[in-house]
């Protein structure tokens, strides 16, 4: 019941009643899926063995990273658009622990199809299976993904069907999954519009001329729009009538909030978890480090002639995988301070697991590590092939071999400049705070100084 109440400053501000159908479905006792006389009929008197993540999507739309979820329902309609039922996936999950091979990221499997009228019973059957057979001894082994991994899909399905009381129908064919972020203006289909707003790493703030927080406050106060939070840490402003569009666009521009067309796609498709200083489990920086990392990768790509390319980059401060790095084309997973495991080979639409390419990359060596991979990709990818698909096709051993034999040909000549000790210390501290290498920060500082000097001269 706690999930149906939101308390703020000691007052209950939102309390939602369950839909009568949901309430009835929860209470219905099919084949032992519930504890009939318990206040919480499905859980009983204790929680599930571990977190249990669910999502719902429509065919072709993988904006929810469905392969990372414990349970996914895919809405299946007939040709007229009437709801027929749901395809079910189960057993995805990303959290793992470094150096413990028995913990791993896993993609969800296709389980079957259920008619719309049976969906509550099917979900209860899956939840009951994990509730009753999920591991309650070892927390690291308690997710549904391990139960399905240990049993295999067939045994899992058979147990679910016992609770469900009949066979699941065969999984319905689906079109390929695509990652969609719905940024910018889109018609809702009812005459109104919604606007997808990119929020870098989900952090809503005002900083300098960029006043995202103020813009959002103004929009919500003026138009009372419902907001949706997306799994990619963005926001959708919903229910916008055609005559409000211009005013909303104006508020965003006036507050320095960039339109999606002004975003570097590296940033648009990237994601980082909160990590330091918010998360007690963090080993490395993530949210605060990723802007500098993206900037450095973009600079490197520009130098290598890859200015028109982009791919999905995700970073986390520990192996729990909150920003889902194991599904990215290039994933960074914090392992020891300032050092990351590098994962490669996920797909642009998050339908394939990445693999470990490098166990420890100190962030200071980012360019040295990535340059060979990007050059290999630049020179050898097939037309239209993304970086992640390329890495997957050639395979980790070939990538490692290419990197080992790589001789940087295009490396610019390097020059040395002396700085005072106190300047050095300040630069070092600033570089650490920004997640940049000392060299990158110093180059940037000098560049800014030169630009300033040039514009002063021109004036
Ligand atoms: C800030 C403190 C946070 C803590 C302490 C935390 C903790 C964890 C832990 C322990 C896991 C591993 C779960 C397992 O293997 O069973 C995990 C996974 C995950 N978390 Fe977080 N998390 C935090 C923030 C977030 C945020 C802000 C998001 C979303 C924006 C998020 C999304 C996820 C996702 C997608 C996974 C991986 C999928 C999975 O294995 O279920 N987490 N988190
Ligand atoms: S992945 Fe990031 S947010 Fe999640 S637990 Fe690790 S450091 Fe914290």
């Amino acid at each position: 019941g706690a999930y149906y109440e939101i308390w703020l400053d000691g007052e209950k501000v939102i309390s939602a009643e369950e839909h009568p159908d949901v309430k009835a479905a929860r209470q219905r006792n099919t084949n032992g899926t519930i504890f009939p006389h318990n206040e919480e009929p499905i859980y009983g008197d204790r929680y599930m063995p571990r977190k249990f993540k669910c999502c719902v999507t429509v065919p072709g739309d993988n904006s929810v990273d469905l392969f990372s979820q414990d349970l996914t329902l895919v809405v299946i309609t007939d040709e007229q658009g009437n709801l027929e039922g749901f395809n079910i996936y189960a057993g995805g999950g990303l959290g793992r622990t470094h150096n413990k091979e028995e913990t791993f990221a896993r993609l969800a499997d296709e389980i079957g199809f259920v008619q719309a009228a049976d969906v509550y019973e099917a979900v209860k059957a899956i939840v009951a299976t994990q509730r009753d057979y999920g591991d309650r001894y070892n927390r690291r082994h308690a997710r549904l993904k391990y139960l399905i991994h240990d049993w295999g899909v067939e045994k899992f399905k058979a147990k679910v069907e016992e609770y469900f009381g009949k066979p699941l129908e065969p999984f319905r064919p689906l079109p390929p999954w695509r990652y969609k972020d719905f940024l910018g203006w889109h018609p809702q289909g009812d005459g109104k519009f919604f606007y997808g707003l990119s929020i870098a790493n989900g952090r809503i703030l005002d900083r300098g001329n960029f006043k995202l927080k103020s813009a959002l406050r103004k929009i919500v106060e003026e138009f009372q729009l419902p907001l949706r939070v997306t799994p990619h840490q963005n926001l959708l402003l919903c229910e916008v009538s055609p005559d409000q569009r211009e005013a909303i666009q104006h508020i965003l521009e006036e507050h320095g909030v960039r339109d999606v067309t002004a975003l570097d796609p590296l940033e648009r498709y990237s994601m980082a978890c909160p990590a330091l200083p918010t998360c007690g489990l963090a080993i490395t920086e993530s949210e605060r480090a990723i802007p500098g990392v993206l900037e450095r990768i973009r600079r490197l790509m520009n130098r290598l002639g890859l200015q028109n390319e982009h791919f999905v980059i995700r970073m986390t401060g520990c192996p729990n995988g909150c920003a889902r790095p194991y599904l990215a084309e290039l994933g960074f997973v914090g392992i020891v301070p300032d050092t990351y495991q590098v994962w490669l080979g996920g797909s642009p639409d998050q339908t394939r697991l990445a693999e470990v390419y490098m166990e420890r990359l100190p962030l200071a060596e980012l360019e040295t590590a990535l340059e060979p991979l990007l050059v290999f990709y630049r020179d050898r990818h097939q037309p239209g092939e993304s970086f992640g698909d390329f890495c997957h096709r050639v395979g980790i051993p070939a990538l490692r071999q290419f990197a080992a034999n790589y001789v940087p040909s295009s490396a610019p000549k390097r020059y040395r400049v002396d700085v005072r000790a106190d300047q050095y210390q300040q630069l070092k501290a600033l570089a650490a705070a920004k997640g940049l290498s000392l060299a990158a920060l110093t180059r940037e500082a000098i560049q800014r100084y030169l630009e300033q000097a040039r514009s002063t001269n021109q004036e």
Side-chain angles (χ1 to χ4, degrees), residues 159-176:
K159 185 52 77 182
V160 169
E161 287 171 347
E162 272 178 36
Y163 287 104
F164 187 48
K166 56 183 171 185
L168 293 163
E169 292 179 33
F171 196 84
R172 298 274 178 96
L174 290 174

Side-chain angles (χ1 to χ4, degrees), residues 72-76 85-89 112-114 170-174:
T72 293
L73 299 177
V74 186
V75 174
I76 304 290
F86 300 87
N87 266 350
I88 298 180
Y89 286 87
F113 171 86
V114 285
F171 196 84
R172 298 274 178 96
L174 290 174

Side-chain angles (χ1 to χ4, degrees), residues 371-414:
E371 179 171 328
L373 300 174
L374 291 169
V375 167
F376 197 13
Y377 168 71
R378 181 193 67 193
D379 297 345
R380 306 282 276 281
H381 76 272
Q382 293 169 348
E385 189 176 38
S386 74
F387 179 63
D389 288 346
F390 169 79
C391 291
H392 175 71
R393 177 170 62 80
V394 304
I396 297 288
L399 294 168
R400 287 196 185 126
Q401 194 184 357
F402 186 90
N405 298 330
Y406 179 74
V407 183
S409 54
S410 54
K413 191 166 164 24
R414 303 174 113 186

Side-chain angles (χ1 to χ4, degrees), residues 50-51 53 93-95 143 233 274 279 281 320-322 324:
R50 194 82 180 87
K51 61 168 72 168
K53 298 190 171 190
L94 302 184
R143 289 290 291 277
Q233 308 176 338
C279 171
L281 303 178
N320 283 322
C322 297
R324 308 189 293 273

Side-chain angles (χ1 to χ4, degrees), residues 273-276 279-284 286 315-323:
C273 74
L276 296 171
C279 171
L281 303 178
I283 308 167
T284 60
S286 180
M315 176 182 265
T316 57
C318 89
N320 283 322
C322 297

Side-chain angles (χ1 to χ4, degrees), residues 51-118:
K51 61 168 72 168
F52 195 84
K53 298 190 171 190
C54 309
C55 74
V56 181
T57 189
V58 294
D61 177 356
N62 193 23
S63 54
V64 288
D65 251 340
L66 68 99
F67 291 102
S68 74
Q69 314 267 353
D70 293 87
L71 174 61
T72 293
L73 299 177
V74 186
V75 174
I76 304 290
T77 55
D78 64 17
E79 277 171 15
Q80 285 73 46
N82 302 312
L83 179 62
E84 276 189 72
F86 300 87
N87 266 350
I88 298 180
Y89 286 87
L94 302 184
R96 46 178 283 282
T97 307
H98 286 311
N99 306 319
K100 288 202 186 319
E101 292 300 316
E102 69 278 17
T103 66
F104 46 83
R106 185 177 193 277
L107 297 189
D109 289 298
E110 298 176 359
I111 302 296
F113 171 86
V114 285
Q115 297 291 336
D118 289 336

